[in-house]
Amino acid sequence: MPLLHPDRLFPAAPEVRGIARKIFSEIRDLPILSPHGHTDPRWFAEDAAFPDPTALFLLPDHYILRMLYSQGIPMETLREGADPKHAQEVWRLFAANYHLFRGTPTRLWLDYVFQELFGLDVRLSRATADVYWETISEHLATKDVRPRALYDRFRMEVIATTDSALDNLEAHAAIRNSGWNGRVIPTFRPDAVVDPEFSGFRTNLATLGAMTGEDTSSWRGYLAALVTRRRFFKQQGATATDHGHPTAATANLSRGEAETLFRRVTRTDEPAAADAELFRAQMLSEMARMSVEDGLVMQLHVGSLRNYNPVLLAKWGRDQGADIPTPTNYVHALHPLLARYGNERDFRLILFTLDESTYSRELAPLAGHYPSVILGPPWWFLDSPEGMLRFRQHVTETAGFYNTAGFNDDTRAFLSIPGRHDVARRTDAAYLAALVADHRLDEDEALEVARELSGPLVRRAYKLE
Amino acid sequence: MPLLHPDRLFPAAPEVRGIARKIFSEIRDLPILSPHGHTDPRWFAEDAAFPDPTALFLLPDHYILRMLYSQGIPMETLREGADPKHAQEVWRLFAANYHLFRGTPTRLWLDYVFQELFGLDVRLSRATADVYWETISEHLATKDVRPRALYDRFRMEVIATTDSALDNLEAHAAIRNSGWNGRVIPTFRPDAVVDPEFSGFRTNLATLGAMTGEDTSSWRGYLAALVTRRRFFKQQGATATDHGHPTAATANLSRGEAETLFRRVTRTDEPAAADAELFRAQMLSEMARMSVEDGLVMQLHVGSLRNYNPVLLAKWGRDQGADIPTPTNYVHALHPLLARYGNERDFRLILFTLDESTYSRELAPLAGHYPSVILGPPWWFLDSPEGMLRFRQHVTETAGFYNTAGFNDDTRAFLSIPGRHDVARRTDAAYLAALVADHRLDEDEALEVARELSGPLVRRAYKLE
Amino acid sequence: MPLLHPDRLFPAAPEVRGIARKIFSEIRDLPILSPHGHTDPRWFAEDAAFPDPTALFLLPDHYILRMLYSQGIPMETLREGADPKHAQEVWRLFAANYHLFRGTPTRLWLDYVFQELFGLDVRLSRATADVYWETISEHLATKDVRPRALYDRFRMEVIATTDSALDNLEAHAAIRNSGWNGRVIPTFRPDAVVDPEFSGFRTNLATLGAMTGEDTSSWRGYLAALVTRRRFFKQQGATATDHGHPTAATANLSRGEAETLFRRVTRTDEPAAADAELFRAQMLSEMARMSVEDGLVMQLHVGSLRNYNPVLLAKWGRDQGADIPTPTNYVHALHPLLARYGNERDFRLILFTLDESTYSRELAPLAGHYPSVILGPPWWFLDSPEGMLRFRQHVTETAGFYNTAGFNDDTRAFLSIPGRHDVARRTDAAYLAALVADHRLDEDEALEVARELSGPLVRRAYKLE
């Protein structure tokens, strides 16, 4: 029995399922655009083989780590999988706990890779752990499962990485110089140099100065350095920036206020929390101003308390699956930025949330009004069939489809990309089929919208044309 | 092919659809009650023809303006449609962008008018823009599409307008004196004289004094003037008041505190924000007290940041589709008012929200407890098929059907009224059919509830008997 | 016609309904575990007959009282039902208003008892009120409807009561000493001795001292007394504690700070609100610490403004159906407690909410990460078919099934327990059937999950093995 049913994620009523099938068949094989993600550009530069199944699937995936940890499996045990001697043992532990992922998107994404890439057709479990290990390991040794081969096999049109403002983008240069025709583009992510609470902020500013030849100890030089780095990213193919802030706060300080604040937050390693928040707020507005000037699309990911678990942070560092969302306000927070730049017709501000109560209350009304505002797809915990359905159900009636940005796979798990797009396209098809089935939309319109969501709206939102 | 399918908005599974059809057939032709809306009473007084399609459908409809603006069409271009020389050109622009409204209620409402009133049977698009223009223009020239004829054709039982506390209601008097038998009633909307931040507040108070012969520079005279105006509205047929406040804050100040606050907010054109908020809060409680005394139903519409876009406000004035909802608290905010008046059995407080997170958390529990509290239908951005379904799904299990107020069309687009009630009745039928199909409700009960929601519950909530 | 259809609450599409039937048939007859509820242990100790229908069904049920009160029926009228002379009259009033409960879970629960326990097969209404009264009264007089007989008939495995920390648990001792083999266990509920705003707090502390021989006027003695009471409860069979706080605030004060705060809140009958809140916060952390030590599972029920209606409170006392939920924050509030105890693998913290916006935003991410955190079932206003479906739809994709705790009936209405579990199991079956129907889960997995939710996950969460 195959792991995946061809009708998965389609509504069960035959009247609707038939429509969903038809819509999906129109978009299933369209090229994949991946305008926001976290793959490592060196993979494409070096085109080396991927490591063993544990290192490939388990250790870098915070969705998997958090679920196993939540059921009492110690992080120590899981981390032992990084040692090749213990890797298969940890894989068996994961396999024995695969039932924990029932009803989660992780299950759908993994089953897709297992079946489509490795031809597996029995469910992962304690009993099949070794079959999986061996089958996957064999495939990983072949050239078919190297990054560039997969890029082609996945029918990718473009993939964006996320890169520190301080990154020299040498992997991107290596890709371009290699003669390979894949399109791997960087994204300008300046958190490390705009957030005074970011680890090493003051050192980062010094590095920024050294990279750009600007005096980053002055507000003016600091801003000039950022303009320079953005220009460099754009030259290397970037079309967008990305900002991961705890809140959506923005500010319009006067030049004098901004200079004074800059001095305060750069004078110490422990700036006051309110100063740090106000500085981040001002910097979002500065970034918007620069976007208006240089045309880079601005992405805003807010509302997560990072590294919420101090015990794990102390022992294992960042990104252990212990980030927890918080209530998020957009309407008051974004007012300063939008008041100044929201009506710019060539500016793009793509908003993401982890707080679903904002969909119908704030985000859809903002996107349904401002020419600059576009809604990004459901993010992180909400990147799931139910999450995507709720997004469309809460957003479409106010913002329509044309103020949304298509899908982001948002992953560092390169192998999972087609599976993630598969879930997204099936869920779009399911949603559209429901509108057709109850005659809110004609079928020709639904087919057109499905195609738009899979390509043109992504290209337009991210200026990928 | 007709624009509208007879089964639109009914669940797709045949078992459920059949039940929905049966329920809807019981209520489709019931009279329309419109207890809250924004039509212009002069239309009914003068019974003049409506203007051209652009002036009729596009320019006054903030749902349409905001969507077109969000896609980069400048307000200047749209506003040119007010000039008869450019009206058809702007209509064509709208037609060419009709796909933006896919999946929105605007599309459903417009298609209803296009088909039912103007007999159109091809979709609006760039290609059909001129056919639409000509067909609609022809109809508008006939007597069949005048306000009074439409009132009858729409099978209306009553329509309420929304009128400033300072309005002399002469159009309403003219309607009554005309001998026409339509029931057009005013609603007392005192924002301009109870909100210290309302434009012209101090002048408005002087006008209020002049209209009533009361000394509105004193707290006592001010309250007496409001009582007088409410009495006048009631004499002119009003059964309700309506209050559009930024928050639901209420207060129970002592007489001395209230007098002092009144002096503070009337002494300046720029009262402190906290004073203004507290004054509005106190005035909601005063309005509740007056409602207990004079029997007028109290409607409360809160939670919208009005005129959020300062650029549009400066250039084009209020109501350009740039109002954005905010998180709204009811439970703490309403406590003062409810502590004092909530248990009054003849008092009616109809609550509206733009924050769906309050449905199950605050609104249904309040309505399911207080004899005075009734839930208004989903409002504004939430007046949509999905919005109405979510309302029932979140509210019914705690508040039942009998603590809700039926439907409000809430529109100044008179022609869209039957289309809006059609969507509401179909959605009620769909929701009830689902309860019958999974045996939570017997069919005879669902039919009774559907009839109650279409008439008796509206009459009871708004004291329209 | 029976009151209940065998397919109730199953999805209408035949493809899905068939799967739901199959899943439900696997779990319908499994034993009932009731790990959180409010039945009176004396019922099981004394095994006396239940009183008349009004005293049994109506007067103790705040769901019923609030709905009748919301429709203008005075509390005075309802309370007259406590007088046997007026009991049947009040029953008739209830019967005549039974339509108010259409679409509510109360209707489902009551119909279940009426049909399954009393064999009634006509709907309750004004016309059938007396038939109901007589039929029920006859049954209540028999031995079949006594507490112990019902415990067996309901196939109960265990039932937990909720008991004040100051309760001597003599009813529980009587049950054990009676030789009856039912398992009725207490739950340690210390609100009266940890909340400085609880009525009689200072007297309660004196009582606590007297019961334990500790000096509860000192912080050290107070904590020791709580340890002693917890030990006593555990000896009497308790496996859990329960905490009903207005917010989820927790704190990690130093010993000195805690002592000072303890002195401040015990020195007066009216502690400052901020002190009271901080003390409750500190006590949640202390309770967590004690749970880590003694192994009692910690339940946290937060987010309700109790006795919101001062008029009813003054006249009729607490628990008149006037508790209203508030917006609730978990992520910041629980941080101190989780930072210290969240990673303990034998600690269990079961979280409940009345604020559905926290499901996907805070609760699922917390439960999907911390080994200690488990999500309790939808509580109170959310204990309903739609409420339970939304819970699974918002929680499963992040936290899975295995970080949830099965169902709580949470009731003092003993007769309604099987009806409540019936609704919960049917709703689980409906949710799982939908996952199977759209191929997100295989049928064998859905059957296993359904069985887990009905027993093993409850036993594990509440340490009932």
Side-chain angles (χ1 to χ4, degrees):
Chain A
M1 195 172 87
L3 295 177
L4 303 166
H5 192 283
D7 283 335
R8 66 192 175 279
L9 298 174
F10 296 159
E15 299 73 20
V16 198
R17 178 160 290 183
I19 305 168
R21 266 189 210 130
K22 185 164 175 186
I23 295 171
F24 181 64
S25 73
E26 285 271 323
I27 56 175
R28 183 184 41 207
D29 298 329
L30 292 178
I32 286 179
L33 290 91
S34 175
H36 176 90
H38 301 279
T39 53
D40 188 332
R42 286 174 301 180
W43 297 340
F44 303 100
E46 299 165 5
D47 203 32
F50 288 106
D52 69 69
T54 298
L56 176 60
F57 286 113
L58 202 155
L59 298 180
D61 188 331
H62 57 72
Y63 290 95
I64 296 178
L65 289 180
R66 59 184 294 123
M67 180 65 91
L68 297 175
Y69 187 71
S70 79
Q71 287 282 312
I73 300 174
M75 203 57 80
E76 286 77 355
T77 308
L78 296 169
R79 289 289 167 203
E80 276 174 5
D83 176 350
K85 279 186 303 191
H86 295 292
Q88 188 168 0
E89 197 177 301
V90 170
W91 177 261
R92 286 177 189 144
L93 182 67
F94 168 53
N97 283 284
Y98 199 53
H99 62 282
L100 300 178
F101 297 92
R102 287 171 180 162
T104 72
T106 294
R107 164 72 178 269
L108 294 168
W109 299 331
L110 287 172
D111 280 359
Y112 189 97
V113 184
F114 295 156
Q115 172 174 306
E116 298 295 318
L117 227 56
F118 304 123
L120 290 154
D121 59 2
V122 288
R123 199 188 299 153
L124 180 61
S125 69
R126 187 189 307 268
T128 61
D130 289 353
V131 172
Y132 266 71
W133 179 270
E134 285 149 28
T135 306
I136 296 171
S137 299
E138 275 168 33
H139 277 88
L140 293 180
T142 69
K143 292 210 164 162
D144 295 349
V145 193
R146 300 266 171 95
R148 294 184 181 182
L150 289 175
Y151 182 96
D152 291 336
R153 198 164 154 191
F154 293 169
R155 283 186 306 279
M156 300 202 70
E157 179 177 313
V158 61
I159 186 165
T161 62
T162 302
D163 311 273
S164 166
L166 302 176
D167 196 294
N168 62 14
L169 305 184
E170 63 184 3
H172 290 84
I175 294 167
R176 271 201 319 287
N177 296 334
S178 74
W180 177 56
N181 68 353
R183 185 175 176 197
V184 182
I185 59 175
T187 302
F188 181 74
R189 172 94 169 214
D191 301 359
V193 291
V194 303
D195 177 359
E197 294 176 326
F198 202 96
S199 164
F201 174 64
R202 297 209 292 168
T203 310
N204 298 340
L205 256 53
T207 308
L208 177 66
M211 291 181 90
T212 57
E214 298 285 350
D215 171 15
T216 54
S217 72
S218 79
W219 174 239
R220 179 193 198 122
Y222 167 68
L223 294 180
L226 289 168
V227 168
T228 300
R229 291 306 295 162
R230 293 171 62 105
R231 190 183 311 127
F232 174 70
F233 269 69
K234 199 173 168 188
Q235 285 161 351
Q236 304 301 309
T239 70
T241 72
D242 184 34
H243 306 272
H245 282 213
T247 75
T250 64
N252 290 335
L253 300 180
S254 71
R255 187 189 164 102
E257 291 166 333
E259 279 186 325
T260 306
L261 178 61
F262 178 74
R263 276 197 298 275
R264 276 212 307 281
V265 300
T266 53
R267 196 167 50 199
T268 165
D269 278 337
E270 300 204 342
D275 276 354
E277 175 71 356
L278 183 58
F279 189 77
R280 285 188 296 261
Q282 178 63 22
M283 288 313 297
L284 284 186
S285 297
E286 298 290 348
M287 289 290 119
R289 177 178 58 75
M290 293 180 198
S291 274
V292 169
E293 287 163 8
D294 64 20
L296 289 175
V297 171
M298 183 173 183
Q299 300 176 83
L300 193 53
H301 289 84
V302 299
S304 175
L305 273 188
R306 303 278 173 169
N307 308 304
Y308 182 85
N309 187 332
V311 174
L312 287 199
L313 179 65
K315 196 153 179 188
W316 302 100
R318 302 171 62 88
D319 301 325
Q320 302 299 316
D323 301 340
I324 310 288
T326 59
T328 303
N329 180 292
Y330 293 87
V331 62
H332 297 103
L334 289 176
H335 191 262
L337 186 157
L338 290 173
R340 197 160 285 185
Y341 308 109
N343 296 288
E344 297 287 339
R345 288 158 61 198
D346 292 327
F347 176 44
R348 301 260 195 291
L349 176 62
I350 306 183
L351 299 177
F352 295 82
T353 196
L354 295 170
D355 180 349
E356 296 184 287
S357 74
T358 64
Y359 280 162
S360 69
R361 187 179 62 211
E362 302 171 47
L363 294 179
L366 286 169
H369 167 66
Y370 279 101
S372 58
V373 176
I374 296 177
L375 300 186
W379 172 39
W380 197 343
F381 299 112
L382 307 174
D383 177 7
S384 61
E386 301 283 351
M388 286 189 264
L389 269 180
R390 286 198 298 269
F391 173 75
R392 293 281 173 215
Q393 286 165 344
H394 284 80
V395 153
T396 308
E397 295 181 320
T398 290
F401 292 101
Y402 291 81
N403 288 302
T404 65
F407 179 64
N408 288 177
D409 51 66
D410 191 20
T411 189
R412 60 176 284 112
F414 182 55
L415 273 64
S416 75
I417 286 180
R420 289 170 191 253
H421 286 260
D422 179 75
V423 169
R425 290 178 181 184
R426 287 174 178 275
T427 307
D428 281 343
Y431 176 69
L432 288 163
L435 296 188
V436 173
D438 71 3
H439 305 289
R440 277 185 268 179
L441 206 57
D442 292 331
E443 193 175 278
D444 67 311
E445 298 183 286
L447 292 170
E448 187 173 306
V449 169
R451 285 188 301 260
E452 295 268 2
L453 291 172
S454 302
L457 286 171
V458 186
R459 288 186 204 103
R460 175 167 168 252
Y462 285 92
K463 300 188 177 174
L464 289 166
E465 317 280 6
Chain B
M1 194 173 90
L3 296 176
L4 303 167
H5 191 283
D7 283 336
R8 65 191 176 278
L9 298 174
F10 295 160
E15 301 72 20
V16 198
R17 178 161 289 185
I19 305 168
R21 267 190 208 130
K22 185 164 176 186
I23 295 172
F24 181 64
S25 73
E26 284 271 323
I27 55 174
R28 182 183 43 208
D29 298 329
L30 292 177
I32 285 179
L33 290 92
S34 176
H36 176 89
H38 301 279
T39 53
D40 188 333
R42 287 174 300 179
W43 298 339
F44 304 100
E46 298 165 6
D47 203 31
F50 287 106
D52 68 70
T54 298
L56 176 59
F57 285 114
L58 202 155
L59 298 180
D61 189 330
H62 56 73
Y63 290 95
I64 296 179
L65 290 180
R66 60 185 293 122
M67 181 65 91
L68 296 176
Y69 186 71
S70 79
Q71 287 282 313
I73 300 175
M75 203 57 80
E76 286 77 358
T77 307
L78 296 168
R79 288 292 168 203
E80 275 174 6
D83 176 349
K85 278 185 302 190
H86 296 293
Q88 190 167 359
E89 197 177 302
V90 169
W91 178 261
R92 285 177 190 145
L93 182 66
F94 168 54
N97 283 285
Y98 199 54
H99 63 280
L100 299 178
F101 298 92
R102 287 172 181 161
T104 72
T106 294
R107 162 73 179 267
L108 293 168
W109 300 331
L110 287 172
D111 279 359
Y112 189 96
V113 184
F114 295 156
Q115 172 174 308
E116 297 295 317
L117 228 56
F118 304 123
L120 290 154
D121 60 2
V122 287
R123 200 189 297 153
L124 180 61
S125 69
R126 189 191 304 267
T128 61
D130 289 352
V131 173
Y132 266 70
W133 179 271
E134 283 149 29
T135 306
I136 296 170
S137 298
E138 274 168 34
H139 276 88
L140 293 180
T142 70
K143 293 210 165 163
D144 294 351
V145 193
R146 300 267 171 93
R148 293 183 182 181
L150 289 176
Y151 181 97
D152 291 337
R153 200 165 152 190
F154 292 168
R155 284 185 306 278
M156 301 202 69
E157 180 177 311
V158 60
I159 186 166
T161 62
T162 302
D163 311 272
S164 165
L166 302 176
D167 195 295
N168 62 13
L169 304 184
E170 63 184 3
H172 290 85
I175 295 167
R176 273 201 319 286
N177 295 335
S178 73
W180 177 56
N181 68 353
R183 186 177 177 196
V184 182
I185 60 175
T187 301
F188 181 75
R189 173 91 169 216
D191 301 357
V193 291
V194 304
D195 178 359
E197 292 177 325
F198 202 96
S199 164
F201 175 64
R202 298 209 292 168
T203 312
N204 298 340
L205 256 54
T207 308
L208 178 66
M211 290 181 89
T212 57
E214 298 286 350
D215 171 14
T216 54
S217 73
S218 80
W219 174 239
R220 181 195 198 119
Y222 167 69
L223 293 180
L226 289 168
V227 168
T228 300
R229 291 306 295 161
R230 293 171 62 104
R231 190 183 311 126
F232 173 70
F233 269 69
K234 198 174 170 187
Q235 285 161 352
Q236 304 301 309
T239 69
T241 71
D242 183 34
H243 306 272
H245 283 214
T247 76
T250 64
N252 290 336
L253 300 180
S254 71
R255 187 191 163 100
E257 291 166 333
E259 278 185 325
T260 305
L261 178 62
F262 178 73
R263 276 197 299 275
R264 276 211 307 280
V265 299
T266 54
R267 198 166 49 198
T268 166
D269 278 337
E270 300 203 343
D275 277 354
E277 176 71 356
L278 184 57
F279 189 77
R280 285 188 297 261
Q282 178 63 20
M283 288 313 297
L284 283 186
S285 296
E286 298 289 347
M287 290 289 120
R289 179 179 56 74
M290 293 180 197
S291 274
V292 169
E293 287 162 9
D294 65 21
L296 289 176
V297 172
M298 183 172 183
Q299 299 176 83
L300 193 53
H301 288 84
V302 299
S304 175
L305 271 189
R306 303 277 173 171
N307 309 303
Y308 181 84
N309 187 332
V311 174
L312 286 198
L313 179 66
K315 194 155 181 188
W316 302 101
R318 301 171 63 86
D319 300 325
Q320 301 300 316
D323 301 341
I324 310 288
T326 60
T328 303
N329 179 291
Y330 292 87
V331 63
H332 297 103
L334 289 176
H335 192 261
L337 186 157
L338 290 173
R340 197 160 286 184
Y341 308 110
N343 296 287
E344 296 287 338
R345 287 159 59 200
D346 292 328
F347 175 45
R348 300 258 196 294
L349 176 62
I350 306 184
L351 298 177
F352 296 82
T353 196
L354 295 171
D355 180 350
E356 296 184 287
S357 74
T358 65
Y359 281 161
S360 69
R361 186 179 63 211
E362 302 171 48
L363 294 179
L366 287 169
H369 168 66
Y370 279 101
S372 58
V373 176
I374 297 177
L375 300 186
W379 173 38
W380 197 344
F381 299 112
L382 308 173
D383 176 7
S384 61
E386 301 284 350
M388 287 189 264
L389 269 181
R390 286 198 298 268
F391 173 75
R392 293 282 172 215
Q393 286 164 344
H394 283 80
V395 154
T396 308
E397 294 180 321
T398 290
F401 293 101
Y402 291 81
N403 288 303
T404 65
F407 179 64
N408 288 178
D409 52 65
D410 191 20
T411 189
R412 57 174 287 111
F414 182 55
L415 273 64
S416 76
I417 286 180
R420 288 170 192 254
H421 286 260
D422 178 76
V423 169
R425 290 177 182 183
R426 286 174 179 274
T427 308
D428 281 344
Y431 175 69
L432 288 163
L435 296 187
V436 173
D438 71 3
H439 306 288
R440 278 186 266 179
L441 205 59
D442 293 330
E443 192 175 280
D444 67 310
E445 298 184 285
L447 291 169
E448 188 173 305
V449 169
R451 284 188 302 261
E452 295 269 1
L453 291 172
S454 303
L457 285 171
V458 186
R459 289 186 203 102
R460 176 169 168 251
Y462 284 92
K463 299 188 177 174
L464 289 167
E465 316 280 5
Chain C
M1 195 174 89
L3 296 177
L4 304 167
H5 192 283
D7 283 336
R8 66 191 174 279
L9 298 174
F10 295 160
E15 299 72 20
V16 196
R17 178 160 290 183
I19 305 168
R21 268 190 207 127
K22 185 163 176 187
I23 295 172
F24 181 64
S25 74
E26 285 272 322
I27 56 175
R28 183 183 44 209
D29 298 328
L30 292 177
I32 285 179
L33 290 92
S34 175
H36 176 89
H38 302 279
T39 53
D40 188 333
R42 286 174 302 179
W43 297 340
F44 304 100
E46 299 165 6
D47 204 31
F50 287 106
D52 69 68
T54 299
L56 176 58
F57 287 113
L58 201 155
L59 298 180
D61 188 332
H62 56 73
Y63 290 95
I64 297 179
L65 290 180
R66 58 184 293 124
M67 181 65 91
L68 296 175
Y69 186 71
S70 79
Q71 287 283 311
I73 300 174
M75 203 56 82
E76 286 78 355
T77 306
L78 296 169
R79 289 290 168 205
E80 275 174 7
D83 176 351
K85 278 187 303 190
H86 296 292
Q88 190 168 359
E89 196 177 303
V90 170
W91 178 260
R92 287 177 189 143
L93 182 67
F94 167 55
N97 283 285
Y98 198 53
H99 63 281
L100 300 178
F101 298 92
R102 287 172 181 161
T104 72
T106 295
R107 164 72 179 268
L108 293 168
W109 299 332
L110 287 172
D111 280 0
Y112 189 96
V113 184
F114 294 157
Q115 171 174 307
E116 297 296 319
L117 227 57
F118 303 124
L120 290 155
D121 59 3
V122 288
R123 198 189 299 153
L124 180 60
S125 69
R126 188 190 305 268
T128 61
D130 288 353
V131 174
Y132 266 71
W133 180 271
E134 284 150 27
T135 307
I136 296 171
S137 298
E138 275 169 31
H139 277 87
L140 293 180
T142 70
K143 293 210 164 162
D144 294 350
V145 193
R146 300 266 172 94
R148 293 182 182 182
L150 289 176
Y151 181 97
D152 292 336
R153 201 165 152 191
F154 294 167
R155 284 186 305 279
M156 300 201 70
E157 180 176 313
V158 60
I159 185 166
T161 62
T162 302
D163 311 273
S164 165
L166 302 176
D167 196 295
N168 63 14
L169 303 184
E170 64 184 3
H172 289 85
I175 294 166
R176 273 201 319 285
N177 296 334
S178 73
W180 176 57
N181 67 354
R183 184 176 177 198
V184 182
I185 60 175
T187 302
F188 182 74
R189 173 91 170 215
D191 301 357
V193 292
V194 304
D195 178 358
E197 293 177 325
F198 202 96
S199 164
F201 174 65
R202 298 209 291 169
T203 312
N204 297 340
L205 256 54
T207 308
L208 177 66
M211 290 181 91
T212 57
E214 299 285 350
D215 171 15
T216 54
S217 71
S218 79
W219 174 238
R220 181 195 197 118
Y222 167 69
L223 293 180
L226 288 168
V227 168
T228 301
R229 291 305 296 162
R230 293 172 62 106
R231 189 184 312 125
F232 173 69
F233 268 70
K234 197 173 169 187
Q235 285 161 353
Q236 304 301 310
T239 70
T241 71
D242 184 34
H243 306 272
H245 283 213
T247 76
T250 64
N252 289 336
L253 300 179
S254 71
R255 187 190 164 102
E257 291 167 333
E259 278 185 325
T260 305
L261 178 62
F262 178 74
R263 277 197 298 275
R264 276 212 308 280
V265 299
T266 54
R267 196 166 53 198
T268 166
D269 278 337
E270 301 204 342
D275 277 354
E277 176 71 356
L278 183 57
F279 189 76
R280 286 188 297 262
Q282 178 63 20
M283 288 313 297
L284 284 186
S285 297
E286 298 289 347
M287 290 289 119
R289 178 180 56 77
M290 293 180 197
S291 275
V292 169
E293 286 162 8
D294 64 22
L296 289 176
V297 172
M298 183 173 184
Q299 299 175 86
L300 193 53
H301 288 84
V302 299
S304 175
L305 271 189
R306 303 279 175 171
N307 309 303
Y308 182 84
N309 188 331
V311 174
L312 286 198
L313 179 65
K315 196 155 181 187
W316 302 101
R318 301 170 62 87
D319 300 326
Q320 301 299 315
D323 301 341
I324 310 288
T326 60
T328 302
N329 180 291
Y330 292 87
V331 61
H332 298 103
L334 290 175
H335 192 262
L337 186 156
L338 291 173
R340 198 160 286 184
Y341 308 110
N343 296 288
E344 297 286 338
R345 287 159 59 198
D346 291 328
F347 176 44
R348 300 261 196 291
L349 175 63
I350 306 184
L351 299 178
F352 296 82
T353 197
L354 295 171
D355 180 349
E356 296 183 285
S357 73
T358 64
Y359 280 161
S360 70
R361 188 180 60 212
E362 301 171 47
L363 294 179
L366 287 169
H369 167 67
Y370 278 101
S372 57
V373 176
I374 296 177
L375 300 186
W379 172 38
W380 198 343
F381 298 112
L382 306 174
D383 177 6
S384 61
E386 301 284 351
M388 286 188 266
L389 269 181
R390 284 197 299 268
F391 173 74
R392 292 282 173 215
Q393 285 165 344
H394 284 80
V395 154
T396 307
E397 294 181 320
T398 292
F401 293 101
Y402 291 80
N403 287 304
T404 66
F407 180 64
N408 287 178
D409 52 66
D410 191 21
T411 189
R412 57 173 287 113
F414 182 55
L415 273 65
S416 75
I417 285 179
R420 288 169 192 255
H421 286 259
D422 178 75
V423 169
R425 290 176 182 185
R426 286 174 179 275
T427 307
D428 281 343
Y431 175 69
L432 288 163
L435 295 188
V436 173
D438 70 4
H439 306 288
R440 277 186 268 179
L441 206 58
D442 292 331
E443 193 175 279
D444 67 309
E445 298 183 285
L447 292 169
E448 187 173 305
V449 169
R451 286 188 301 261
E452 295 268 1
L453 292 172
S454 302
L457 285 171
V458 186
R459 288 185 203 103
R460 174 167 168 254
Y462 285 93
K463 299 187 178 175
L464 289 166
E465 316 280 5

